[in-house]
Amino acid sequence: MIKAGIIGATGYAGVELFRILLRHPQVEKIYVSSVSFEGKRIEEVYQNLIGQIGSKCDSLLLTADEVKEKSDIVFTALPHGIAEQYADYCVKNGKKLIDLSADFRYGLDEATFKEWYKKDWQFPEVHKESVYGSPEMNREAIKAARIIGNPGCYVTSATLALLPALKNGLVQTDCIIVDSKSGVTGSGRNPSMANQFCECGESFSAYKVGNHRHQSEIERNCSILAGSRVGIVFTPHLLPQNRGILSTVYAPLSEKGRELAQKEGAFHQLYEDTYKDEPFVRVLPDGVAPTTRTVRYSNYCDLQTYLVHGGTMLEVVSCLDNMIKGAAGQAVQNMNLMYGFDECTAIDFVPPAF
């Protein structure tokens, strides 16, 4: 049994973590903090939690320092550039940390992090302890890690869409297009003009075209999988719905890929074979299209493959819940691996039918 802490528990990802950890049988205590609501109880902020908390948590929102001291593992659901100090404390005190910001997503590549996030690392040594938290890419390394950089939500959808094709050299890597759409929760809980109902309701728009920070993370993952630099054109869009990501990925086939494309159903079979032992990646039956509705409130990523443009291009549609597989659910999946729990514990949600 372990004690878990959430620093930043009243953001959207933070409260989803709390909701999941409440049902985790190996978590005996949960400690929560929030700068915005310090001193209140979490059910005062989120009324859906009234009567649900029980003995695992007294629900009082503590200081971040109190949370880190009381916990065996700390989840940081904070703005970029803050988690390092908590990771440094955890490493020095025999604890573990999973960060949901971008602070530990770049390995030892501080230059790329600084280029996209305009921040210097304050504790560079602690990055040597970190592992990128994609179970489908790094399962064995995650098991031995003390610090995890939880992947971005758009990044998870794009990476899982491309992993089999890139690992097998089936697509050209100079320019892959990732066209993604996300629900409004992806922009966080703090109010802004973009996420007001009157601005985003009954509307659909692209944003941060050519300069969204997740592009660098997608490029990094794809380059690791391919073994050489991969060029990505990434365009995010805002959907007028609460949650969910749908990414459509387009990649021209390599010569090897064109040879495989001559065999009917071979690409789909490759994806099925690649993910057959992955508990949270579903390659859908041929002809079934992924939708955000059928992954909502679950830790699944659904995939479908298509050969288009006269059989010279691979198109993959990838769908997940940005708050679960794209954030809190994947974080708990990583925690399960770090502690040797069954990987599916507390995140084996069945998506609702509607």
Side-chain angles (χ1 to χ4, degrees), residues 112-124:
T112 301
F113 176 79
K114 184 175 180 180
E115 176 186 355
W116 287 86
Y117 290 88
K118 313 304 179 189
K119 295 178 182 291
D120 293 311
W121 287 349
Q122 301 302 310
F123 298 86

Side-chain angles (χ1 to χ4, degrees), residues 15 41-53 189:
V15 76
R41 295 186 177 277
I42 195 167
E43 65 263 43
E44 294 180 61
V45 184
Y46 288 100
Q47 294 180 22
N48 62 305
L49 296 173
I50 293 174
Q52 302 300 312
I53 292 173
R189 192 167 190 243

Side-chain angles (χ1 to χ4, degrees), residues 17 21 53 77 84 97 104 151 175 178 184 240-241 290 306 309 318 338 342 351:
L17 269 170
L21 292 175
I53 292 173
E84 279 184 294
L97 180 138
F104 293 99
C175 183
V178 178
V184 184
Q241 62 185 47
Y306 305 89
H309 197 53
S318 173
M338 293 168 84
D342 184 290

Side-chain angles (χ1 to χ4, degrees), residues 254-269:
S254 65
E255 183 177 344
K256 183 179 178 181
R258 291 190 183 205
E259 291 176 2
L260 185 67
Q262 299 303 309
K263 303 174 183 177
E264 186 175 353
F267 266 90
H268 194 270
Q269 188 63 52

Side-chain angles (χ1 to χ4, degrees), residues 2-8 17 21 31 33 64-78 83 86-87 89-90 95-100 146-148 335 338-339:
I2 60 172
K3 299 173 183 176
I6 307 169
I7 299 176
L17 269 170
L21 292 175
Y31 303 103
S33 78
D65 284 344
E66 289 174 313
V67 168
K68 75 181 185 184
E69 290 163 5
K70 292 174 178 286
S71 304
D72 301 312
I73 184 168
V74 174
F75 295 88
T76 43
L78 299 167
Y86 300 110
Y89 171 87
C90 287
K95 301 170 184 282
K96 302 178 191 288
L97 180 138
I98 298 175
D99 177 41
L100 278 73
R146 292 197 284 180
I147 305 298
I148 294 291
M335 183 193 79
M338 293 168 84
Y339 282 97

Side-chain angles (χ1 to χ4, degrees), residues 187-207:
S187 62
R189 192 167 190 243
N190 289 332
S192 69
M193 183 69 73
N195 60 20
Q196 289 185 25
F197 176 78
C198 291
E199 299 292 330
C200 62
E202 300 298 325
S203 182
F204 177 53
S205 61
Y207 68 100

